[in-house]
């Protein structure tokens, strides 16, 4: 494992996490009070003659402003929830989500490391007082930091270069306490997204965060991915050396971080990185029974031999039956020159993406979904920042935003949605071009007809750079 600048989240320092729990609770608990006050004010305005629609819009705007601002100011579980909700951010007018984005960006730029003495205490508690005997050398300066831990480079006793991930003391308690508080304010999100069933989504997010705190689960996931891609010509996953409750030791992986490929890579490097990233994300559920759920540029390396190296398996979606076939079915319908939008609506309702009682205009639904199917509708597609900006602009216009606010996110799809949106963002940063349709046809269930198999249309071999 090399420097892990993953985690768009910002790590709290070891001293900050537990100490601020009361203050964190006060901030979160204050959100419903603010909503109650705005609702009462809205009722007074309606009695005074203002239209219900205008009053509702004003309440929504003020609620979003407060909600995103408070979530952005907090770390831990509240920040993770804020990031999860950011997948709906494009459906909101910029003036609603702006304060949240600004605060989150500021937090991302500060990453205080754990004091060395604290690092030693964690290592001694988990590996024993003679923990240094396990290492030939250990670098006290962290190579990288993430939301719940930091990574140090070391040399294992047998001479292997290793990455040592150390969990922040108190991180688990702080994260889970945040979710307990957030569960009490779930109704606020209904003001912003009327189609969203918040309670089960919060429960799913809490479960996923609890899994990220469990280094034994992470180690098991990494071992499974390493076995699934062992000997693969295009994908490499470093092996696990050992793990404890709060320490995870894996093989170190050198290579060029995807962030460097994004900023300085040649067209060939960016194209190769992009198609291999898509291949890894799409193929994981079929090959390992899991989806890597944190496609951040810091979690990937382009190795000297041209393979894509993958890091950080704390966030995975366990999909023993592979990706749900609804995505392939929807893409196949949307790729038709005259798609059956009524069939699309039926599929969305069957999987609870549209809840009972939520009505949608079919023409608006088609206009909203069509561009999302574009990258896999053609043999070769180029992702770009311009395309992403156009998409962001499109989904914030009136009709698209109205459609987006009616969607629900079923709990079982929370991480899949996160991977889809974040993965597309990375591909656009890479500005890569390639045969992404072939990857979809090969790996996404539900797209092929019944008489075809995944081994039929083969994805093209990507030349090394």
């Amino acid at each position: 494992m090399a420097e892990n600048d993953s985690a768009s989240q910002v790590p709290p320092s070891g001293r900050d996490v537990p100490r601020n729990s009361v203050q964190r609770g006060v901030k979160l608990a204050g959100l419903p009070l603010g909503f109650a006050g705005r609702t009462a004010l809205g009722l007074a305005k309606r009695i005074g003659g203002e239209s219900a629609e205008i009053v509702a819009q004003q309440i929504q705007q003020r609620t979003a402003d407060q909600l995103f601002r408070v979530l952005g100011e907090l770390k831990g579980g509240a920040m993770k929830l804020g990031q999860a909700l950011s997948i709906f951010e494009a459906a909101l007018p910029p003036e609603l989500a702006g304060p949240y984005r600004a605060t989150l960006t500021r937090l991302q730029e500060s990453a205080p490391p754990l004091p060395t003495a604290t690092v030693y205490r964690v290592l001694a508690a988990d590996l024993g007082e003679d923990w240094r005997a396990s290492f030939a050398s250990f670098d006290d300066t962290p190579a990288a930091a993430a939301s719940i831990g930091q990574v140090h480079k070391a040399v294992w006793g047998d001479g292997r270069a290793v990455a040592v991930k150390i969990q922040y003391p108190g991180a688990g308690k702080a994260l889970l306490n945040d979710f307990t508080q957030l569960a009490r304010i779930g109704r606020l999100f209904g003001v912003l997204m009327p189609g969203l069933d918040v309670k089960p989504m919060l429960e799913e997010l809490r479960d996923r965060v609890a899994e990220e705190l469990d280094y034994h689960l992470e180690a098991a996931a990494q071992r499974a991915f390493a076995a699934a891609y062992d000997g693969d010509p295009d994908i490499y996953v470093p092996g696990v050396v050992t793990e404890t409750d709060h320490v995870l030791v894996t093989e170190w992986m050198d290579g060029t971080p995807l962030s460097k490929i994004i900023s300085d890579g040649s067209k060939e490097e960016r194209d190769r990185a992009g198609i291999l990233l898509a291949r890894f994300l799409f193929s994981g559920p079929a090959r390992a029974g899991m989806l890597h759920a944190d496609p951040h540029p810091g979690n990937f390396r382009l190795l000297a031999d041209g393979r894509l190296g993958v890091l950080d398996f704390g966030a995975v979606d366990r999909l023993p039956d592979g990706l749900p076939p609804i995505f392939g079915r929807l893409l196949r319908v949307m790729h038709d020159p005259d798609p059956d939008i009524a069939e699309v609506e039926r599929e969305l309702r069957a999987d609870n993406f549209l809840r009972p009682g939520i009505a949608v205009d079919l023409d608006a639904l088609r206009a909203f979904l069509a561009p999302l199917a574009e990258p896999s509708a053609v043999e070769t597609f180029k992702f770009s920042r311009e395309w992403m900006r156009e998409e962001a602009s499109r989904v914030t216009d009136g009709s698209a935003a109205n459609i987006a606010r009616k969607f629900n996110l079923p709990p079982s799809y929370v991480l899949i949605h996160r991977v889809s949106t974040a993965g597309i963002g990375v591909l656009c940063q890479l500005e890569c071009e390639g045969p992404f349709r072939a990857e979809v046809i090969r790996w996404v269930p539900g797209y092929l007809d019944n008489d075809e198999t995944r081994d039929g249309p083969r994805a093209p071999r990507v030349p090394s750079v």
Side-chain angles (χ1 to χ4, degrees), residues 8-20:
S8 45
Q9 308 96 338
V10 180
S13 74
R15 292 164 295 187
D16 289 342
V17 178
R19 181 175 295 178
N20 293 334

Side-chain angles (χ1 to χ4, degrees), residues 98-314:
Y100 163 75
R101 280 199 303 267
T103 306
L104 187 60
T105 299
R106 186 174 69 252
L107 285 172
Q108 288 170 353
E109 293 171 352
S110 61
L114 278 177
T116 303
T118 304
V119 171
Y120 290 172
R121 281 199 301 272
V122 175
L123 290 169
D126 277 48
L127 298 179
E129 291 297 332
D130 61 343
W131 63 269
R132 283 192 178 277
S134 299
F135 299 95
S137 65
F138 183 90
D139 191 342
D140 290 346
T141 303
S147 58
I148 61 172
Q150 64 189 40
V151 177
H152 292 254
K153 187 174 184 179
V155 176
W156 197 240
D158 61 8
R160 281 180 291 174
V162 293
V164 185
K165 184 154 72 169
I166 299 168
Q167 190 172 121
Y168 298 123
K173 183 177 180 181
L175 286 171
L176 298 178
N177 282 347
D178 280 351
F179 274 94
T180 300
Q181 292 284 350
L182 288 165
R184 299 170 184 169
I185 61 169
R187 65 193 179 107
L188 290 185
F189 301 108
V191 177
L192 308 179
M193 305 288 298
L196 184 63
D197 190 4
V198 175
K199 185 177 179 181
M201 189 186 79
L202 282 174
E203 292 172 352
E204 175 73 9
L205 282 168
R206 188 185 190 281
D207 290 345
R208 299 292 76 78
V209 167
E211 287 184 0
E212 288 188 51
L213 293 165
D214 188 332
Y215 279 2
H216 296 287
L217 276 179
E218 179 173 349
Q222 184 160 342
R223 287 189 178 99
F225 271 99
Y229 289 90
D230 184 35
D232 190 278
D234 295 321
I235 309 295
Y236 172 71
V237 177
V240 175
V241 177
T242 190
E243 83 276 359
T244 66
D245 291 347
H246 308 103
V247 178
L248 174 61
V249 182
T250 61
E251 294 174 349
W252 185 270
M253 183 175 68
D254 285 314
T256 306
L258 221 55
S259 56
K260 293 293 185 183
I261 300 296
I262 289 170
S263 61
D264 304 321
S266 66
K267 181 181 186 302
E268 290 76 15
E269 288 173 327
R270 288 185 284 108
D271 288 348
R272 180 172 177 80
I275 198 69
L276 293 186
L277 174 63
R279 182 172 300 170
F280 171 71
L281 294 176
F282 281 134
S283 66
R287 295 181 62 174
M290 288 180 284
L291 175 70
H292 186 289
D294 192 10
H296 181 276
N299 286 336
F300 301 92
R301 303 282 181 272
L302 199 58
L303 307 186
D305 60 9
R307 288 181 296 173
L308 182 74
V310 187
L311 302 170
D312 200 338
F313 295 84

